[in-house]
Amino acid sequence: KFDKFKLKSSLKMAVTRLQMQKNKKENAIKVQRREIAGLLQNGKYESARIKVETLIRDEYVIEAFELVTLFCELLSTRLQLLVETRSCPPDMKEGVHTLIWTAPRIENIPELLVIREQLARKYGVEFAHAAGDNAEMVVNQKVLYRLSLLVPEPYLCAQHLKGIAEQFDVDWDESDAALNLPVAGLGAGIGTMPELSGNPVPLPSAPSGPAGPVPSP
């Protein structure tokens, strides 16, 4: 059974946890930047390139956290509208689909799974499966990209390395050829969008008839 109070509390807690995870990643990025500066100082350009790819992905995840936070706040603000409508309101569709899609792809935010479950109970299992597969292509495009594991482009890595060198006043050889070539073994999977946190937690199987609420446990 759909529980609006459980959904509301989960939305609020998800915002809190997302902010905590965002702060952790921002602190980790500060450490990574110092480590990369040290590698550049010592001429270990390939190692610096590998580390900067991880740093860029972490920056992408932070951007995704910010967007998911906004969608949680949107649903919390418009919760009564969501409660009173039988089908998902058009102006909330992107937010609802994005939260369902991201739930199994963001680690350490269990409330997102609760949000997904409650939205499935509200709008039906088939709706939740379609959102989880982005079948209607309404999941926020920036979130889709930011939570992919695509290898960052070489020019982007070079830009980050240049910025780190300037920040820490490192004298290095910017023209090093290694910066313009993919690092061996890291090109696999380019163009794919694997799960960020492993296989998604499956929703209950949809019934053979019209979509209905997820049965109570």
Side-chain angles (χ1 to χ4, degrees), residues 64 67-72 75 88 92-106 112 115-116 119 127 130-132 134 137-144 147:
L67 289 167
V68 173
T69 296
L70 289 176
F71 286 126
C72 285
L75 261 65
C88 184
M92 295 176 65
K93 204 166 188 180
E94 181 184 23
V96 168
H97 279 242
T98 299
L99 289 179
I100 291 173
W101 185 86
T102 56
R105 293 172 169 86
I106 295 182
L112 289 175
I115 292 167
R116 183 183 70 161
L119 292 172
F127 176 93
N134 194 26
M137 303 297 289
V138 294
V139 173
N140 181 271
Q141 288 298 304
K142 184 169 280 189
V143 173
L144 277 170
L147 291 184

Side-chain angles (χ1 to χ4, degrees), residues 49 53 57 149-152 154 181-192:
R49 162 68 187 277
E53 289 185 354
R57 290 196 192 99
L149 293 181
L150 302 180
V151 177
L181 296 172
V183 177
L186 295 183
I190 291 179
T192 64

Side-chain angles (χ1 to χ4, degrees), residues 49-100:
R49 162 68 187 277
I50 294 171
K51 278 189 173 291
V52 87
E53 289 185 354
T54 300
L55 182 149
I56 291 170
R57 290 196 192 99
D58 283 346
E59 289 179 343
Y60 283 175
V61 171
I62 286 173
E63 289 184 42
F65 284 177
E66 292 171 347
L67 289 167
V68 173
T69 296
L70 289 176
F71 286 126
C72 285
E73 291 172 341
L74 173 68
L75 261 65
S76 183
T77 300
R78 300 183 182 176
L79 182 60
Q80 194 57 39
L81 175 62
L82 186 150
V83 170
E84 294 174 354
T85 54
R86 291 181 62 86
S87 59
C88 184
D91 61 343
M92 295 176 65
K93 204 166 188 180
E94 181 184 23
V96 168
H97 279 242
T98 299
L99 289 179
I100 291 173

Side-chain angles (χ1 to χ4, degrees), residues 33-53:
R33 291 180 74 88
R34 293 192 194 96
E35 291 175 347
I36 291 168
L39 291 170
L40 292 176
Q41 184 71 55
N42 294 323
K44 298 180 179 180
Y45 298 147
E46 186 170 309
S47 296
R49 162 68 187 277
I50 294 171
K51 278 189 173 291
V52 87
E53 289 185 354

Side-chain angles (χ1 to χ4, degrees), residues 26-39:
E26 286 175 340
N27 291 331
I29 284 174
K30 291 177 183 177
V31 174
Q32 290 171 11
R33 291 180 74 88
R34 293 192 194 96
E35 291 175 347
I36 291 168
L39 291 170

